[in-house]
Amino acid sequence: IPEIKGTMVSRPMQAIIDEAVRLQDGGIQELIIIAQDTTDYGADFGVKNGLSKLLNGICSAAPHLPWIRLMYAYPGYVTDELIETMATHQQILPYLDIPLQHGHRETLKRMRRPANIEWVYKTLEKLRTAMPNLAIRTTFIVGYPGETDEEFAGLQQFVSDLKFDRVGAF
């Protein structure tokens, strides 16, 4: 996608926080933080753990905003700091949409996607330990060119192991 749409560009943190305050003051009940990869927020500014910093800033500046939802979080960028931020703030819904695409290393490599399946298992375990009521939604591509029966079976095992709350398949 970056090859088609260009590199990621983060909006300035203070601009987003100011907008959250305006929305809170206007009576908005839910703020959805959405991007191609929200967990990479601020990397283009050289900010580490940018999403965690942004969420802490929003929760502090807009304490009466009831719900904050994150969309499109990649497990490779879900840091311990982000997990702690999510678990600490009641405003942040215990929900993550993690577009994993597949659950077999070889299929992911052909897709030119991160293929460290063990990392996904560890990250989801950390998330669920910190937030036992966390709902996780994901999407998968099945029938990708070259996908074997063994790879599809690996995807099925992956889904069974991780017990996602919602799954979309294409």
Side-chain angles (χ1 to χ4, degrees):
I1 292 176
E3 290 175 14
I4 297 168
K5 294 187 174 190
T7 57
M8 184 202 64
V9 178
S10 300
R11 287 182 55 206
M13 189 174 299
Q14 194 57 53
I16 297 171
I17 292 170
D18 291 346
E19 183 175 356
V21 170
R22 283 192 304 277
L23 291 169
Q24 170 195 256
D25 293 348
I28 296 300
Q29 296 298 301
E30 181 174 358
L31 173 65
I32 300 172
I33 307 290
I34 187 169
Q36 182 179 323
D37 180 2
T38 57
T39 47
D40 200 26
Y41 175 77
D44 54 328
F45 297 147
V47 175
K48 246 186 124 157
N49 289 307
L51 182 58
S52 179
K53 290 174 175 56
L54 175 64
L55 291 169
N56 282 316
I58 291 171
C59 290
S60 176
H64 304 294
L65 185 63
W67 288 351
I68 301 170
R69 183 184 310 268
L70 299 178
M71 300 286 290
Y72 309 127
Y74 285 82
Y77 296 114
V78 174
T79 63
D80 292 344
E81 184 176 329
L82 177 59
I83 294 169
E84 181 180 338
T85 297
M86 290 180 67
T88 301
H89 294 289
Q90 293 292 320
Q91 291 167 269
I92 302 171
L93 295 174
Y95 171 90
L96 271 181
D97 189 308
I98 304 175
L100 293 169
Q101 309 304 323
H102 208 279
H104 192 280
R105 182 181 330 281
E106 296 308 314
T107 308
L108 288 165
K109 285 180 182 177
R110 279 195 307 283
M111 291 177 171
R112 289 185 255 156
R113 305 273 183 185
N116 189 339
I117 298 300
E118 294 76 21
W119 183 271
V120 176
Y121 278 89
K122 288 176 189 172
T123 300
L124 294 187
E125 182 180 339
K126 285 183 191 179
L127 283 161
R128 287 185 169 137
T129 298
M131 294 170 282
N133 59 341
L134 178 69
I136 298 176
R137 179 189 182 278
T138 192
T139 51
F140 296 112
I141 299 170
V142 296
Y144 191 79
E147 180 185 55
T148 65
D149 289 343
E150 177 188 333
E151 291 170 357
F152 180 70
L155 171 61
Q156 289 176 307
Q157 185 62 54
F158 181 73
V159 170
S160 177
D161 290 347
L162 291 174
K163 299 179 181 14
F164 299 100
D165 296 280
R166 296 282 184 262
V167 172
F170 301 89

